[in-house]
Amino acid sequence: MILTFSWSQNINKYKSFYDHYAIGIDGDTIQMANYKGKHLLIVNVASKCGYTSQYQELQDLYDKTKPSLEILGFPSNDFLWQEPGTNSEIKLFCQLNYGVTFHMFEKIHVKGKKKHPIYKWLSNDNENGWNNKTPSWNFYKYLINANGELINVFPSKINPLDSSITNLIYSAELKTN
């Protein structure tokens, strides 16, 4: 007997991504419900990491796909203290070095006891329906479709312009009904 997961049959069992909020890098409260109908690539970022150059690829991806794809950057200092800056220092670093215009949020925890509720949702199958993977390093990526469903995760080494990400973004699977 083969069992398949059907999100539509089980959606009521899980908390919605859209129930969450986060604080923007400038201190404003941003409801995730504001992103209904858009695809989201959620990335934990850091300015002193071997993957920091992915900021440029994230910006390039954002420029090519907006307004249908939103990129949400969550700075985190959870991996070898590679994001030591304040929110204003992080914002300045991103703008000056990579011209970042995608949405950046305040520095948070993406693992451990102080994990931000959005990252709890992303890494808990009881909330998102299937995934238990927590970021193992900076620039770990989660892809959410326009219906608020987590559809894939990508390790740090997969760059944002890799076909494994872009093919999903451009595929019919992600188009809203």
Side-chain angles (χ1 to χ4, degrees), residues 7 15 29 63 78 90 95-96 98 115 133 140 143:
W7 181 268
K15 185 174 184 177
T29 300
D63 289 340
D78 287 348
I90 294 165
Q95 289 175 340
L96 291 178
Y98 299 101
K115 185 188 309 184
K133 293 181 182 175
Y140 198 86
L143 185 60

Side-chain angles (χ1 to χ4, degrees), residues 47-67:
S47 61
K48 298 189 181 301
C49 174
Y51 294 114
T52 299
S53 63
Q54 286 189 20
Y55 267 124
Q56 186 61 60
E57 294 165 352
L58 287 166
Q59 184 59 46
D60 292 346
L61 180 62
Y62 181 62
D63 289 340
K64 289 177 185 176
T65 58
K66 67 182 176 187

